[in-house]
Amino acid sequence: MRTVDVLVAGAGPAGLMAALAFARRGATVLVVDPGPAPARRLAGEWLHPGGVSALRRMEITMDSGDFTVNHGFRLHTGDGHPPLHCPYPDGTAVSMYHHVLTALLTSRARATPGVTLRRNERVTAVTTTGRAGTTREELRAGLVVGADGRASTVRRLLRPGGEQSSAQLSWTAGLLLRGARLPCEGYGHVFLGGPGPVLAYRVSPDTVRLALDVPLPCPGPSDIRGYLWHGYATALPDALRRAFRAALTGGKVQWAAARFRKRSFYGRGRCALVGDAVGLGHPLAAQGMTFALLDAECLARRSADIAAYATERTARSWSAERLGAALHRTLTGTDPTSLLLRRAAFGLWRDDMRQRRLALGLLGMRDDRRSTLCHVLAHVTTRALAELGRGDPALSGATAPSGGLAGLADWLLWLIGPTVGTPCPPRRKLPTFAVMGP
């Protein structure tokens, strides 16, 4: 039986980052992946400043034309106000096709002494003592790293019969808009006003990615293109609307389930998990790849103590995970309290640049302090109470039994409680659109 210091299951950004981080510390690392090459699929394409910084600490730069530098977001609120300009307070993000980042990390891994990468091979068995089997051989590893995504085999083998299932929140429909221009280049854009938010960002010099959040239940195949057009087109500016129609008519819509699983299990014994194998957040917050890189970096630093790794990542993920959940519920919720908090947050961020910057610092994962998140929540809640006090008829639902102080309290308790991230979306009656129309 062969021995390696580290066996990594999965050759995506999480697994390759783990391999590079361990190799820098002198470890021998074997990475196995069932795929023949980086896949072109709808997956993480946005890396927040926290993830960019992690790569820079590994001396990995993304300065080719395949990577787009982004300074933050533009939030198009759909309420008649100008877009909210939301720059990061510290650092920049990058966006790219998922396979472009994977290919860059693959090239670096193949050139790094101590790292062996084998494709068309997968992990089939693991034990907490470090024994593992692949489709090629049996191994003894000082550490097994599960970086094999949301359907992680390593995670399943570590938790037989006791798996924490993920909850589906919605669907994500992805389209590529060739030749499209964003309203403000160098920023991601969030458009409200459709059935769900739309996230738009550049993935290559000539292509914009459009990611549409499609609520449950989703229309059937015969209705879906008409539903997307009639539901979302009016939320987009003219230039993107024309490209959106062209993509719907002649392009391919990629689909992915938007799921949530709390980041609470990081492994045990000599087996650790990183990235989506730990937990899942809604793609609206675009946090997945940044979580993955920071997990891998921390694990290499804490490899002798999985409990210490879990403690550190639990603490340092707490604020970002909850901010992502809060943003998703605030921007998609149709209950009176979510609508109230949406209005309060937008109003606060228009009036107070400092509060806007604090929220973006948390989202970008350059600030992971719980005190910062609590500060942001306190100011949004105070603004919401002030909105209620004005007696605006548009907020009449927020003063019902499910709204007001009780609604705010329930919402905040959900955010810090064990069910964070998994609200039950209301059932909606879906319109039927046989054709896209003019």
Side-chain angles (χ1 to χ4, degrees):
M1 182 181 295
R2 195 159 66 90
T3 298
V4 295
D5 294 328
V6 181
L7 171 64
V8 179
L16 294 168
M17 179 69 167
L20 291 168
F22 276 105
R24 280 171 65 99
R25 289 165 171 78
T28 58
V29 185
L30 171 63
V31 184
V32 299
D33 189 272
R40 296 184 178 231
R41 56 192 178 90
L42 185 58
E45 296 172 332
W46 185 279
L47 197 58
H48 286 296
V52 174
S53 295
L55 288 179
R56 286 177 178 161
R57 287 191 289 271
M58 295 292 296
E59 300 179 355
I60 297 172
T61 58
M62 295 159 287
D63 51 7
S64 76
D66 293 327
F67 296 90
T68 298
V69 175
N70 297 280
H71 302 280
F73 293 90
R74 300 270 288 182
L75 178 55
H76 303 257
T77 56
D79 55 7
H81 288 89
L84 273 167
H85 183 61
C86 302
Y88 291 113
D90 183 19
T92 55
V94 295
S95 55
M96 77 307 290
Y97 286 115
H98 183 83
H99 69 268
V100 167
L101 178 60
T102 303
L104 173 63
L105 295 176
T106 297
S107 176
R108 180 60 65 91
R110 290 192 185 281
T112 299
V115 177
T116 301
L117 172 59
R118 297 201 308 229
R119 296 198 178 273
N120 298 304
E121 182 177 357
R122 61 184 178 86
V123 170
T124 57
V126 297
T127 70
T128 56
T129 61
R131 294 189 62 172
T134 75
T135 49
R136 183 183 298 189
E137 63 179 329
E138 292 188 356
L139 298 159
R140 183 178 297 278
L143 180 71
V144 177
V145 179
D148 43 351
R150 61 173 61 192
S152 170
T153 297
V154 175
R155 181 187 177 102
R156 176 173 51 81
L157 292 171
L158 289 176
R159 307 193 82 181
E163 178 59 295
Q164 174 194 359
S165 61
S166 60
Q168 183 168 353
L169 304 177
S170 60
W171 287 96
T172 299
L175 298 99
L176 295 173
L177 310 188
R178 310 289 183 185
R181 300 295 299 173
L182 292 167
C184 181
E185 293 290 347
Y187 286 83
H189 293 257
V190 178
F191 299 96
L192 304 184
V198 179
L199 178 61
Y201 51 90
R202 186 161 297 284
V203 288
S204 75
D206 65 345
T207 305
V208 167
R209 166 73 75 188
L210 215 60
L212 289 67
D213 184 62
V214 180
L216 301 174
C218 183
S222 63
D223 292 331
I224 189 60
R225 289 180 185 270
Y227 173 83
L228 295 178
W229 171 253
H230 287 279
Y232 293 88
T234 56
L236 301 176
D238 289 343
L240 287 183
R241 190 181 304 128
R242 290 191 295 271
F244 175 46
R245 181 176 178 81
L248 271 180
T249 302
K252 178 182 178 182
V253 180
Q254 294 178 286
W255 291 91
R259 310 189 71 88
F260 181 88
R261 181 171 60 211
K262 190 177 177 182
R263 294 173 60 83
S264 58
F265 178 62
Y266 288 83
R268 56 193 175 94
R270 293 186 179 180
C271 299
L273 304 175
V274 295
D276 284 353
V278 176
L280 302 167
H282 194 281
L284 179 64
Q287 296 172 319
M289 285 206 303
T290 302
F291 272 134
L293 299 186
L294 293 175
D295 285 348
E297 182 184 45
C298 177
L299 177 61
R301 189 173 66 250
R302 296 282 197 175
S303 60
D305 190 343
I306 301 303
Y309 159 65
T311 298
E312 179 175 338
R313 288 307 297 148
T314 298
R316 302 197 71 172
S317 299
W318 191 92
S319 293
E321 180 178 48
R322 278 153 183 79
L323 179 67
L327 286 173
H328 167 251
R329 186 168 175 182
T330 302
L331 298 183
T332 64
T334 57
D335 60 284
T337 304
S338 293
L339 296 174
L340 170 63
L341 287 170
R342 185 188 312 174
R343 176 166 169 168
F346 292 171
L348 178 66
W349 294 341
R350 286 189 187 99
D351 296 342
D352 191 333
M353 171 61 85
R354 180 173 181 271
Q355 289 300 315
R356 204 185 322 171
R357 289 170 62 84
L358 287 174
L360 266 292
L362 291 168
L363 182 64
M365 295 193 218
R366 296 280 284 177
D367 183 352
D368 56 23
R369 294 170 296 177
R370 295 191 184 198
S371 59
T372 303
L373 178 63
C374 292
H375 178 89
V376 169
L377 291 175
H379 278 73
V380 172
T381 303
T382 300
R383 181 72 175 235
L385 291 172
E387 295 282 353
L388 282 175
R390 294 190 182 99
D392 189 335
L395 297 174
S396 58
T399 61
S402 61
L405 291 174
L408 286 172
D410 287 345
W411 207 99
L412 293 172
L413 287 173
W414 163 83
L415 186 60
I416 64 173
T419 61
V420 60
T422 56
C424 295
R427 301 288 293 182
R428 307 177 187 216
K429 183 178 179 181
L430 294 172
T432 299
F433 300 111
V435 296
M436 286 175 57

